[in-house]
Amino acid sequence: MNIKKSLLSVALIASCLTAAAQDEQPQKTENVFNKHWYVQAQGGAQYTLGEIDFSDLISGNAQVGVGYQFSPVFGARLSVNAWQSKAGSSIDGFGDLKWKWNYIAPNVDVTFNLSNLFFGFKPDRVFSFSMFAGLGANIGFKNDQACSSLIALESTPYIGADGSVLYPYANSGLMEYLWSGTKVRVQGRAGMMFDFRVSEKVSLGLELQATTLSDRYNSKRAQNWDWYFNALAGIKVNLGKTHTTKQVPACPCPPKVVEKVVERVVEKAVPAPAPAPAVAAVAKKETMKREVFFTINSVSIPKAEQKKVADIANFLKDNPNAKVTVTGYADKGTGNAKINNRLATNRANTVVKALKTQYGIDASRITCISKGDSEQPFAENDKNRVSICIAE
């Protein structure tokens, strides 16, 4: 009896050690994006499109801004761009007229991080490329030099062949759109941003802008929109944490349940074996599972995945009583919940449509479900762009 108890104890200890080993599943770290604010300070140069030499139209430029990053891809920014613009005109027999004025231009931009859009969210990425577009107001003032240039032009005399004094540029209309005081005009702009990561909080950046506004901006009538271009370098500081981390299983392994059984050993006479009861045959239920993977932001079934849809259709045809459930998913690392729910729904609908139209499967045998990004069946982010089909 003591030997039996000893053997039972060893078996119980071994089962506990096995259960502990099964509980230790491999883990990996996943980065989770955090919404956050940031501030910017930049300085550089401006080129105002004009008729005289390029170097004569270069002026200083500065910008400060505050922004909010809603997702790894989309953000918004309020900035104030200011300093100086230049213009000029080349006049036959007179030379070049040159003038400059000051402005302040508040703008609201929408930003798009293309690095995160196409290559996924990666908080420690050294280089990021973004684009932006927005609207603002240009508040121009101190246009006194343009007024002085016009007066000098119109008062310049020309001595005719007969000795007469002429003023050929008086009331010439060369600066028909001349303005003074303070003028406010609507402007639109777009551009590119190149950011180089220094730390989680700080990055250095280069920004290129193109801005267009009314033909009246530079005081000359040209019958087209006026333009200026800015090149800025500066610093960007993130406020708060840009991301957090979490531990997830390296593979979606189901938990293993180990039952601990303690038996009491009692010595007694062994009864005669009873005849084995007849075991009724149980029909095995057939099932089929296929995972149809999609590319980023796409709801079209890739060519390499179409055979999986055909497998499900053939299974349903071979098993007339079988039904299929199609569940659509989207990866959480891209976009937001609203966009991802739409992608997941359309991915599931694409598979359902193929089953009905290409293979003639009756709609009553198909159930369509969308999980959006609320559930992630795979630990690898990109694999969650999927429609999972289970037929049984």
Side-chain angles (χ1 to χ4, degrees):
M1 181 175 179
N2 290 333
I3 295 175
K4 291 182 179 180
K5 288 183 177 179
S6 298
L7 293 174
L8 181 62
S9 299
V10 172
L12 181 59
I13 293 172
S15 68
C16 292
L17 292 175
T18 302
Q22 291 172 342
D23 288 340
E24 296 179 0
Q25 298 182 5
Q27 302 281 313
K28 75 171 187 177
T29 301
E30 182 177 285
N31 293 309
V32 180
F33 171 81
N34 286 352
K35 299 177 181 179
H36 59 276
W37 292 90
Y38 63 85
V39 293
Q40 284 180 302
Q42 300 161 290
Q46 177 182 114
Y47 168 69
T48 310
L49 192 63
E51 303 168 3
I52 58 177
D53 290 343
F54 179 87
S55 59
D56 291 331
L57 297 173
I58 300 295
S59 56
N61 193 252
Q63 179 171 286
V64 293
V66 57
Y68 188 75
Q69 198 67 32
F70 295 96
S71 74
V73 176
F74 298 106
R77 179 180 67 173
L78 172 64
S79 64
V80 178
N81 183 273
W83 202 338
Q84 194 176 79
S85 290
K86 292 184 177 181
S89 185
S90 182
I91 309 297
D92 292 339
F94 186 84
D96 289 343
L97 288 177
K98 303 175 185 178
W99 63 93
K100 60 186 176 181
W101 65 100
N102 298 110
Y103 75 91
I104 297 176
N107 292 269
V108 176
D109 299 314
V110 178
T111 62
F112 310 89
N113 189 312
L114 301 185
S115 296
N116 286 340
L117 176 63
F118 293 111
F119 304 108
F121 174 61
K122 188 177 180 182
D124 57 353
R125 179 178 285 117
V126 175
F127 170 77
S128 294
F129 171 63
S130 303
M131 298 191 72
F132 66 89
L135 293 172
N138 185 291
I139 306 168
F141 55 97
K142 289 188 177 180
N143 198 33
D144 302 334
Q145 286 190 2
C147 298
S148 299
S149 296
L150 179 61
I151 292 172
L153 177 65
E154 292 185 343
S155 61
T156 299
Y158 175 79
I159 307 301
D162 58 356
S164 61
V165 180
L166 304 175
Y167 294 88
Y169 297 109
N171 302 315
S172 64
L174 291 174
M175 299 177 69
E176 181 179 348
Y177 288 163
L178 180 68
W179 56 272
S180 60
T182 300
K183 297 294 181 181
V184 180
R185 300 176 177 88
V186 175
Q187 69 176 31
R189 74 175 185 179
M192 300 177 290
M193 296 182 289
F194 308 89
D195 290 315
F196 299 87
R197 181 181 185 272
V198 178
S199 66
E200 181 183 6
K201 293 284 188 182
V202 178
S203 62
L204 303 178
L206 174 66
E207 183 168 327
L208 303 177
Q209 304 173 353
T211 304
T212 184
L213 65 171
S214 165
D215 186 24
R216 296 177 179 270
Y217 182 61
N218 63 4
S219 299
K220 298 186 303 177
R221 180 177 180 179
Q223 296 182 332
N224 53 253
W225 291 84
D226 287 337
W227 289 83
Y228 62 79
F229 305 90
N230 296 332
L232 303 169
I235 186 171
K236 173 181 175 182
V237 179
N238 295 315
L239 307 178
K241 286 188 172 293
T242 61
H243 73 286
T244 55
T245 59
K246 67 177 182 179
Q247 298 294 321
V248 297
C251 64
C253 304
K256 297 182 179 180
V257 179
V258 178
E259 295 183 357
K260 300 178 182 179
V261 179
V262 180
E263 297 180 353
R264 181 182 178 187
V265 179
V266 180
E267 292 183 351
K268 62 180 181 179
V270 179
V279 179
V282 179
K284 184 179 179 181
K285 191 174 184 180
E286 293 189 30
T287 62
M288 174 178 282
K289 180 180 180 181
R290 291 291 184 270
E291 294 151 347
V292 181
F293 294 100
F294 293 79
T295 57
I296 186 169
N297 291 330
S298 174
V299 298
S300 299
I301 301 173
K303 187 175 181 180
E305 301 293 303
Q306 292 176 3
K307 184 180 181 302
K308 297 179 180 179
V309 181
D311 291 344
I312 291 293
N314 291 333
F315 178 88
L316 294 172
K317 291 178 180 179
D318 294 340
N319 299 271
N321 294 325
K323 296 185 178 182
V324 64
T325 299
V326 181
T327 306
Y329 299 86
D331 67 288
K332 199 167 188 177
T334 306
N336 53 47
K338 183 177 179 181
I339 294 173
N340 288 339
N341 187 56
R342 184 175 69 251
L343 282 171
T345 300
N346 290 339
R347 285 166 179 165
N349 287 336
T350 299
V351 175
V352 170
K353 182 179 179 180
L355 289 172
K356 292 192 296 185
T357 60
Q358 294 182 28
Y359 299 101
I361 304 302
D362 192 270
S364 63
R365 302 177 66 191
I366 305 173
T367 300
C368 184
I369 301 172
S370 173
K371 295 292 186 180
D373 61 9
S374 62
E375 294 183 14
Q376 301 287 274
F378 295 96
E380 185 177 342
N381 180 71
D382 292 356
K383 286 189 174 183
N384 292 307
R385 305 162 189 154
V386 66
S387 286
I388 298 178
C389 308
I390 300 177
E392 57 183 12

